[in-house]
Amino acid sequence: QTLIRQSQKRSRGGSKYDEKSEDRDRFSISTDLNMIRDAVINAKRNSKGTHHLTPKLAGYIHVLWKDPGIRATYEKRAEFQLSDSADFFFDNVRLLTGKDYIPTEEQMLRARVRTTGISETRFMIEKTTFRMVDVGGQRSERKKWLKCFEGVTCVIFVAAMSTYNQVLFEDEKTNRMMESLNLFEETVNSNWFKRTAMILFLNKSDLFRKKLKSYPITLCPVFENYQGDPKDEEQAITSIREAFMCCNCTPTAKNPTRIVYTHVTCATNKRNVTNVFLAVKDTVLKENLKMAGLMVSLQDGMD
């Protein structure tokens, strides 16, 4: 529905961007699809307020997804709020209504669920048990964080690299990566975490690399003077990493000598996530040994 409505806005000139009149036709849904469009928009909701995806509705969505106007609107998705996995599910929408359909691991990973409240997960990596507390990153969720801070041995801060040209859901004037940088600076310099291991995940690397081919990193205010090759993925990733590292070197930094361990991640890539968490395990154990003074003693004993 978001894509359809955005397409309608553009065909009527309702976008906040001033498109040339001859270009607006690109975003118009063909007249033959009006009935299908209305059927999708007016689809009956169930008791939970969400839509039940029937084979008929999936067929309508499949037809709309192939429409050039919808596709052109999708290319402008940074201008409105749309799930990163929308194209994946639109491409496979008819499979989701099969009689014997069982979601695959990839489909479950790509299903976007906004984190609200506080959730706790326990898992084991190579016989070491970890307790992870996940907190929502939206502004409305941050007031709940304080109750989670005591006794934390490691903070994993997840920043989506692909959001450099997007705005917040809560505030359409604020760039998402700028918000992440500001929040990371607050977190890394918090009194709660002066002696806590800090790990930064630069996530959604796959979407970032794909997006960089069409949209320069200079669309993010902090990189407006970026001098690197606009198409070079590694240069851009290095610049993003450096921007986050600078947050630990401010005049008010609580622990400017602290090492922030950084990993470029793709949460839907099982091998990447496995390797990263093995590295995280080693980092957490090493930092805990340092805090306990055991690593120094161990090294002294080896000399």
Side-chain angles (χ1 to χ4, degrees), residues 145 155 157 182-190 193 198:
W145 290 6
V155 172
F157 189 99
N182 291 333
L183 182 57
F184 183 70
E185 183 172 338
E186 291 179 20
T187 303
V188 78
N189 294 314
S190 169
F193 304 132
M198 191 69 59

Side-chain angles (χ1 to χ4, degrees), residues 80-132:
F80 51 93
Q81 306 295 337
L82 188 67
S83 170
D84 291 328
S85 297
D87 60 337
F88 174 81
F89 286 106
F90 288 150
D91 286 340
N92 297 280
V93 65
R94 290 188 296 183
L95 298 176
L96 307 181
T97 59
K99 183 178 179 181
D100 300 318
Y101 169 69
I102 297 176
T104 65
E105 183 177 4
E106 181 182 15
Q107 289 167 351
M108 288 188 285
L109 286 172
R110 288 179 177 271
R112 173 75 169 92
V113 179
R114 190 183 299 274
T115 303
T116 57
I118 300 168
S119 63
E120 181 179 324
T121 304
R122 292 177 183 270
F123 56 93
M124 184 172 290
I125 301 177
E126 294 187 340
K127 298 181 180 181
T128 301
T129 301
F130 288 83
R131 172 175 169 257
M132 179 178 288

Side-chain angles (χ1 to χ4, degrees), residues 43-59:
K44 186 177 180 181
R45 294 176 181 269
N46 59 27
S47 58
K48 295 182 179 180
T50 58
H51 294 93
H52 177 62
L53 185 63
T54 63
K56 185 176 182 180
L57 183 57

Side-chain angles (χ1 to χ4, degrees), residues 30 178 210 228 290:
S30 59
M178 293 296 296
K210 184 178 180 180
K290 283 182 180 179

Side-chain angles (χ1 to χ4, degrees), residues 205-257:
S205 58
D206 55 333
L207 298 177
F208 172 77
R209 295 177 192 278
K210 184 178 180 180
K211 180 180 285 188
L212 195 64
K213 296 176 182 177
S214 303
Y215 300 97
I217 196 174
T218 50
L219 290 173
C220 178
V222 76
F223 301 118
E224 59 185 3
N225 296 318
Y226 175 75
Q227 298 297 316
D229 183 345
K231 301 291 185 181
D232 191 303
E233 300 167 1
E234 298 310 317
Q235 284 186 28
I237 290 173
T238 297
S239 295
I240 292 174
R241 181 187 287 112
E242 290 174 350
F244 277 94
M245 292 305 98
C246 286
C247 296
N248 193 43
C249 303
T250 63
T252 58
K254 299 295 188 296
N255 186 0
T257 61

